[in-house]
Amino acid sequence: MSAEVTLLGVRHHGPGSARSVAAALEQLRPDAVLVEGPPEADPILALAAEKDMVPPVALLAHAADDPARAAFWPYAEFSPEWVAIRYATGRGLPLRFIDLPAGYTFSDAGEAEEPAGDGGDEEDADLPRDPIARLAEAAGHDDPERWWEDVVEHRRPGDDEDALAPFAAVAEAMTALREDGAASRRDERREAYMRQQIRAARRAGHRRIAVVCGAFHVPALAAMPTVAHDRALLAELPRKVRTEITWVPWTHRRLSQLTGYGAGIVSPGWYHHLHRTDGDPLPGWLTRAADLLRAEDHPVSSAHVIEAVRLARTLAVVRGRPLAGLTETLDAVRAVMCDGSDVALALVQDRLVIGDALGEVPEAAPAVPLQRDLARLQRTLRLKPDPAPRELDLDLRKDTDAARSRLLHRLRLLGVDWGVPVRSSVASTGTFRESWRLCWQPEFAVRIAEAAQWGTTVERAAVGKAVGTARAAVELAELTGLVETCLVAGLAEALPVVMRVLADCAALDTDVAHLAGALPALVRALRYGDVRGTDHGALGEVAAGLADRICVGLPPACTGLDAAGAAVMRGHLDEVHGAIGLLDQADGPAAGLADRWAGTLRALARREPSGGPATGVPGLLRGRAVRLLLDDGRLDSAEAGRRLGLVLSATNSPADAAGWIEGFLTGGGALLLHDPRLLGLLDGWLTGVPAEVFTDVLPLLRRTFATLEAGVRHTVGGRVAAGPLGSGSAEPTREEAALDRARAEAALPVVALLLGLPTGDEEPGEHPRIPRQAEGRDT
């Protein structure tokens, strides 16, 4: 008696195909199930029957010696393959994956092989045109997705209907499409391997074999060529690479993406609802949409749900569809529940049409030791991996929060950006508080597998990665950033090695820009000593040494810079100024550093160009140096005004003067309001700029004043509009000139009474009283 092989051609990740597969398997009652997928997963397929296995999940396969070469095979609850897997494992039936082994896809030899399960339908890539689109066109439809939804996804098998009839129709259609021999060489090899596995199942004595595969492959599997033919095709395969495979959690959002490891399903949340709903899916889904909108403060009632159901059904009839699809449903939601707003509709599309469902895998699933250690830490620290973004505020004075911070920093060092630092939502400037935005992504499983080469625990792997990065670093700024990371991540074991490499690199680096870019990170790292209990003595010595070298080398390095170089150096100047302000607060190697830095700023301010721009420091940097000295109280306003007057003199070029003004006013222009002389000098210079030069300096001036506060710009404009500004005190504004001093003085006693201050009219020991002229007035 020959074995009966039934080919169930499906479209991957389709709820209609999933329902049809379930009905066909119940009718067939096979004694073996073969599924399109990587054979390396056969030993772990039994885990699919575990109650802790909750889709969406994915098979992750990677080359054993290079985890970066990886591929995913995602499965949702509505995936036909998943339905077949659960059917076989739940009944203890033999279950085999029959696609080409993943080990061939990771080989460097021969033709590059693409993983078969890491995105969408293979049939979309096999033909020059989507076969579904070709079938829809033959049926007279211009929208292939809508046609497939009407024909397959919305179809529900009846009790007395032949469950195999839809598969026979799909096979007939695919046979017609493949008559032109459109299959690629890669697909021919895959199909040859599948046929070999079907023959092996027959030899094993199985009599009723169900094969669940992509519909495109059904004609090739139905017409069995000779064994020699298939062996010849498989002989072309490259060398097979040793592969490791496991189950990992997946998300609906990742299924919706077309790039990376997505599957290109535009509406996984909607498909999930269709698969789980036995009757009409509209009322339940629209009720969930109403709940979501109400939770976001949109006024949606049960009457809106009833009307939306009616509208969706009516639209389906008008458009000639058997049932209301996602398009009609969203149109009804927009019109009835969202008042035509696409903003509210976008919320429904993001939360319900796509969704953030995250699957789960049992602990028995194979995993690298690093993954298991991370899972242990997540449980201990109560940090659940969640695909929905959320904010996390940490108080580093608490042990649990400090441990969470160390874990997140270590993972970032390993390339797992589960948490990204953000500006704290709590009003605090202390170093004891951190804010993170957490968002777990399924592909982190690949990065964890890659990071396993550095160690078996998160801490050991982070130490190994830090040491390896330090030894391979070539830029000083990279090393200082690594030192900061080691401190905040609590990697005390790696810090001495990194510090030795940093000291050697700093001693050899003579580029002042590199030194200036490296110093701020070192100083920030020093600030963590108080709340994290780290020893920063050696770090302070290196930072002080860098600062001294910057003080000596900065003036020559700033000479002759062009506009772009001056702009970059100004950023370094501001950062170094702030860093030295923090570094000078302690005794030790940095003592007196602020005085030396002030001397460097004075040297910058004095280096005016004498024989052209190449002979001096650009005006942008000179003006910035004067402003920093003024803000630190090392220069008075009179001296700042004198320097401004010299810069704005007729002997200086307008472009250099405009740059000086930009550097001087960067960070705030309130000093123009407090010192009218500075404003008068600036106004006088601006009105005297020649017309032929004014258009050249105008962009610089507009950029400078655009950075000032709105209130400062408004007040400066008012004072300039009031009339000419002299070098002395400012003329009174219109508001000041209109002030009636007599009336103002009459109100002073009442104000004093309200504030509880003596008015000067009462007797000793007498309480303040309202003066006679104010009695009866409305104060």
Side-chain angles (χ1 to χ4, degrees):
M1 180 178 179
S2 61
E4 177 185 352
V5 178
T6 304
L7 302 175
L8 305 178
V10 300
R11 193 185 193 195
H12 305 296
H13 311 296
S17 294
R19 285 192 297 268
S20 297
V21 166
L25 292 176
E26 288 293 341
Q27 177 176 319
L28 285 172
R29 300 289 179 177
D31 57 3
V33 178
L34 307 182
V35 179
E36 180 183 331
E40 291 94 338
D42 285 351
I44 60 174
L45 285 178
L47 293 175
E50 299 287 338
K51 63 178 181 179
D52 295 335
M53 180 74 82
V54 181
V57 293
L59 285 168
L60 163 61
H62 62 83
D65 58 349
D66 185 6
R69 291 187 290 172
F72 287 97
W73 284 260
Y75 301 102
E77 186 174 318
F78 50 81
S79 300
E81 297 91 342
W82 182 256
V83 171
I85 291 171
R86 293 298 292 262
Y87 177 89
T89 56
R91 292 164 176 76
L93 299 178
L95 173 65
R96 296 289 183 272
F97 272 174
I98 61 171
D99 203 352
L100 198 66
Y104 290 118
T105 69
F106 302 136
S107 176
D108 295 329
E111 179 185 350
E113 294 284 340
E114 294 294 331
D118 64 345
D121 304 327
E122 291 87 1
E123 48 264 42
D124 290 352
D126 290 333
L127 291 176
R129 292 180 55 197
D130 181 4
I132 303 300
R134 296 176 65 184
L135 291 175
E137 182 180 350
H141 291 260
D142 58 354
D143 189 337
E145 292 298 327
R146 180 178 297 183
W147 174 80
W148 182 264
E149 195 175 58
D150 290 344
V151 174
V152 178
E153 304 305 345
H154 288 166
R155 180 183 172 279
R156 297 180 183 276
D159 295 334
D160 55 350
E161 181 182 348
D162 182 9
L164 300 180
F167 296 102
V170 170
E172 182 181 356
M174 288 298 169
T175 300
L177 287 178
R178 293 196 59 167
E179 287 179 352
D180 56 359
S184 65
R185 195 64 172 174
R186 167 177 169 267
D187 280 315
E188 290 178 353
R189 290 195 290 265
R190 291 177 58 201
E191 290 161 353
Y193 190 87
M194 293 182 194
R195 289 191 292 264
Q196 293 282 54
Q197 300 307 303
I198 294 174
R199 295 186 184 102
R202 283 173 168 171
R203 290 195 300 270
H206 300 299
R207 291 292 174 259
R208 296 185 307 279
I209 303 172
V211 180
V212 180
C213 62
F216 181 77
H217 304 299
V218 169
L221 301 185
M224 282 278 188
T226 63
V227 175
H229 174 271
D230 289 343
R231 287 177 178 173
L233 283 174
L234 296 177
E236 302 174 1
L237 289 172
R239 179 182 57 86
K240 186 177 179 181
V241 175
R242 188 169 66 88
T243 304
E244 296 178 356
I245 195 166
T246 186
W247 290 103
V248 295
W250 209 245
T251 65
H252 278 173
R253 189 168 302 279
R254 182 57 63 185
L255 283 171
S256 69
Q257 297 181 2
L258 289 170
T259 58
Y261 296 114
I265 309 170
V266 296
S267 53
W270 169 256
Y271 277 2
H272 181 79
H273 179 76
L274 290 181
H275 179 72
R276 285 205 159 188
T277 306
D278 292 331
D280 187 354
L282 279 183
W285 196 86
L286 289 172
T287 300
R288 292 173 57 201
D291 290 341
L292 173 63
L293 291 172
R294 277 197 297 266
E296 298 295 332
D297 296 329
H298 291 275
V300 179
S301 66
S302 57
H304 288 83
V305 177
I306 296 172
E307 184 59 30
V309 171
R310 290 175 178 171
L311 179 57
R313 290 172 176 168
T314 302
L315 288 174
V317 173
V318 171
R319 294 170 180 175
R321 306 191 66 180
L323 291 172
L326 181 59
T327 303
E328 288 72 30
T329 305
L330 291 181
D331 287 345
V333 170
R334 180 194 288 110
V336 178
M337 298 184 181
C338 302
D339 296 326
S341 171
D342 287 333
V343 176
L345 182 66
L347 179 68
V348 176
Q349 290 176 319
D350 183 70
R351 302 279 186 87
L352 294 183
V353 177
I354 296 177
D356 287 311
L358 175 66
E360 299 178 6
V361 299
E363 294 184 3
V368 295
L370 178 61
Q371 174 67 59
R372 296 193 181 280
D373 184 62
L374 175 58
R376 178 187 63 81
L377 291 173
Q378 288 171 336
R379 291 192 300 269
T380 302
L381 300 177
R382 299 187 297 278
L383 282 177
K384 182 180 179 181
D386 193 338
R390 67 184 182 97
E391 302 289 333
L392 178 66
D393 289 315
L394 300 178
D395 185 344
L396 302 182
R397 296 169 297 184
K398 300 178 181 179
D399 293 341
T400 300
D401 282 359
R404 289 172 173 173
S405 173
R406 288 193 295 270
L407 174 62
L408 294 174
H409 280 294
R410 290 169 181 176
L411 290 177
R412 279 177 59 81
L413 179 60
L414 294 173
V416 182
D417 293 328
W418 177 22
V420 177
V422 295
R423 177 181 289 272
S424 176
S425 58
V426 181
S428 173
T429 58
T431 59
F432 60 84
R433 190 171 295 279
E434 283 183 350
S435 290
W436 296 79
R437 178 176 289 109
L438 303 184
C439 183
W440 184 263
Q441 300 293 337
E443 58 265 30
F444 289 160
V446 176
R447 300 181 189 175
I448 292 171
E450 291 181 70
Q453 61 178 307
W454 299 107
T456 58
T457 66
V458 174
E459 181 178 5
R460 294 300 309 165
V463 168
K465 180 67 178 296
V467 172
T469 303
R471 290 172 175 168
V474 294
E475 295 289 341
L476 186 60
E478 183 181 0
L479 286 169
T480 55
L482 185 60
V483 169
E484 183 180 8
T485 300
C486 288
L487 286 173
V488 297
L491 303 178
E493 186 176 344
L495 193 57
V497 178
V498 179
M499 286 299 302
R500 284 197 300 270
V501 178
L502 172 62
D504 294 341
C505 185
L508 297 175
D509 200 328
T510 58
D511 191 326
V512 174
H514 290 171
L515 301 178
L519 181 63
L522 282 181
V523 176
R524 286 195 305 268
L526 283 170
R527 299 184 68 199
Y528 292 108
D530 296 332
V531 297
R532 298 178 188 268
T534 54
D535 181 13
H536 49 72
L539 188 60
E541 293 179 1
V542 174
L546 284 181
D548 284 333
R549 294 175 61 190
I550 293 171
C551 290
V552 173
L554 187 61
C558 293
T559 303
L561 292 176
D562 58 10
V568 174
M569 190 59 75
R570 188 195 67 177
H572 289 320
L573 192 65
D574 289 340
E575 292 179 351
V576 170
H577 183 75
I580 288 179
L582 295 173
L583 196 59
D584 190 61
Q585 294 177 0
D587 297 332
L593 181 58
D595 294 333
R596 297 193 292 276
W597 174 245
T600 300
L601 293 177
R602 290 191 183 94
L604 279 179
R606 289 193 300 266
R607 290 203 174 198
E608 300 180 0
S610 57
T615 61
V617 174
L620 178 68
L621 300 179
R622 300 198 323 273
R624 192 64 191 144
V626 171
R627 177 60 184 274
L628 294 177
L629 290 170
L630 180 63
D631 290 345
D632 281 356
R634 296 178 179 272
L635 198 70
D636 56 29
S637 59
E639 176 62 18
R642 186 187 72 82
R643 292 177 181 270
L644 177 61
L646 293 174
V647 170
L648 301 182
S649 64
T651 59
N652 201 16
S653 69
D656 184 73
W660 199 98
I661 293 169
E662 180 182 1
F664 185 70
L665 294 182
T666 299
L671 54 87
L672 294 178
L673 306 181
H674 300 311
D675 194 338
R677 180 172 177 270
L678 296 179
L679 183 58
L681 288 170
L682 181 59
D683 182 60
W685 170 80
L686 187 58
T687 56
V689 173
E692 62 272 12
V693 181
F694 183 78
T695 54
D696 295 331
V697 300
L698 182 59
L700 293 175
L701 295 174
R702 293 188 64 180
R703 183 175 63 195
T704 300
F705 281 89
T707 61
L708 302 182
E709 303 87 341
V712 172
R713 294 199 304 269
H714 177 75
T715 307
V716 168
R719 290 187 177 180
V720 172
L725 298 172
S727 59
S729 60
E731 295 291 333
T733 63
R734 295 175 182 175
E735 292 80 1
E736 293 171 343
L739 176 64
D740 189 338
R741 293 188 176 276
R743 294 183 63 189
E745 290 176 355
L748 288 178
V750 178
V751 175
L753 177 65
L754 293 175
L755 297 177
L757 302 176
T759 62
D761 295 336
E762 62 273 3
E763 297 295 333
E766 184 182 4
H767 292 289
R769 66 178 185 274
I770 298 178
R772 192 169 298 170
Q773 64 268 25
E775 292 179 357
R777 294 182 183 176
D778 184 6
T779 59

